[in-house]
Amino acid sequence: MAVDPRAASGFAGTADAYELGRPSYPADALEEIARLVPLGTGSAVLDLAAGTGKLTRLLVPLVGRVVAVDPSESMLAKLRDQVPGVDARLGTAERIPLRGGEVEAVFVAEAFHWFRVEEATPEIARVLAPGGVLVVMSNRGSWSRDDLPWLDEFRDLVEPHRIASGEFPAGGDGWKELLAASGRFSELSSSSYDYVHEVAPEAFVAQVASWSWIANLADEARRALLERVHELVAAQTRVTLRYVTEVHWARRL
């Protein structure tokens, strides 16, 4: 399977950190999408690039069947632990291991920026039933110095590594233009939701460790950076991370 090498190496050994540190998603966002699509106990959906199943576990109570696909076996192993019995399969957005028209919705959370959109778009359309819906979700940090007094120093510490890692294959909003240009989906609809992720300092350090541009650092540099992050947050009993969860959806034409 062809996966961006930064993603392949960055996520290969971070499943535990990803599960511990990464935020979930607001339940009301999923409930609204389920009403709009609509989805119910007879519906089958795909969680594409599912990671450790942060979104998968929220979808399971809403629909009849969830298939989780990810290119990392270590991520899928963690997902199977967290969501026992789920149908979890190796695969990528550009080569989805499902039959044509098998699901009524494809959900992608915190992963669309890694896709080769011009290849992934027809593949997503292929596995969707006629009139099925693509749902793209992302948590955008809305962190503040009021919650995180060390925020400026933290950004100075990690931002150079993010910049040095280079742009994502579908970073920014370019994916929206490519999706529209494909002619396979309706115009995007969008909504947003406030979401608060409150964690222990150790879980925040784990979140940082799970970021690909940190995970891909040389061992010594990564350990030193994470130690410094731990020093910054150690004085806080809980770390309050505020997000705006963006949800975009489009129907297969």
Side-chain angles (χ1 to χ4, degrees):
M1 293 180 289
V3 179
D4 188 291
R6 296 168 297 172
S9 58
F11 295 124
T14 61
D16 289 340
Y18 193 105
E19 175 59 28
L20 176 60
R22 291 292 186 109
S24 183
Y25 305 93
D28 53 343
L30 274 299
E31 291 165 1
E32 180 178 359
I33 290 297
R35 288 194 302 271
L36 291 171
V37 170
L39 299 171
T41 55
S43 304
V45 305
L46 166 64
D47 185 4
L48 183 58
T52 65
K54 293 283 183 175
L55 179 60
T56 311
R57 68 200 73 178
L58 300 180
L59 292 171
V60 166
L62 298 177
V63 300
R65 176 176 174 241
V66 180
V67 181
V69 169
D70 195 88
S72 168
E73 183 55 59
S74 61
M75 289 284 185
L76 288 177
K78 180 63 68 174
L79 184 152
R80 294 183 183 105
D81 288 342
Q82 298 298 317
V83 197
V86 73
D87 183 353
R89 309 179 186 181
L90 279 171
T92 67
E94 298 81 13
R95 192 170 182 177
I96 302 172
L98 273 74
R99 301 187 306 275
E102 190 170 345
V103 295
E104 292 154 66
V106 173
F107 287 80
V108 183
E110 295 297 338
F112 214 90
H113 54 280
W114 285 115
F115 296 172
R116 298 191 300 277
V117 179
E118 290 174 309
E119 296 176 44
T121 297
E123 185 68 348
I124 291 170
R126 180 186 66 80
V127 303
L128 278 169
V133 174
L134 167 65
V135 182
V136 180
M137 302 177 63
S138 59
N139 285 322
R140 302 300 186 197
S142 184
W143 300 358
S144 74
R145 298 175 190 85
D146 292 337
D147 296 320
L148 313 173
W150 37 262
L151 184 58
D152 289 341
E153 188 173 353
F154 172 76
R155 285 174 171 162
D156 289 343
L157 185 65
V158 302
E159 188 67 4
H161 298 294
R162 185 193 67 78
I163 294 171
S165 70
E167 295 295 328
F168 294 113
D173 288 334
W175 67 270
K176 297 177 183 179
E177 296 178 5
L178 292 172
L179 190 73
S182 74
R184 298 173 185 269
F185 288 90
S186 67
E187 184 177 351
L188 279 170
S189 298
S190 303
S191 58
S192 61
Y193 306 80
D194 292 331
Y195 182 65
V196 178
H197 183 52
E198 191 172 71
V199 296
E202 292 76 12
F204 177 73
V205 176
Q207 180 180 153
V208 176
S210 76
W211 294 345
S212 61
W213 64 89
I214 302 300
N216 281 325
L217 293 175
D219 290 347
E220 185 175 342
R222 185 177 65 253
R223 281 194 297 268
L225 183 145
L226 294 176
E227 286 174 4
R228 181 58 188 141
V229 172
H230 187 269
E231 290 171 0
L232 289 176
V233 303
Q236 294 188 243
T237 304
R238 303 291 288 176
V239 179
T240 300
L241 304 172
R242 301 184 189 277
Y243 294 92
V244 175
T245 302
E246 297 178 355
V247 184
H248 310 280
W249 65 95
R251 196 171 297 278
R252 177 193 158 188
L253 298 177

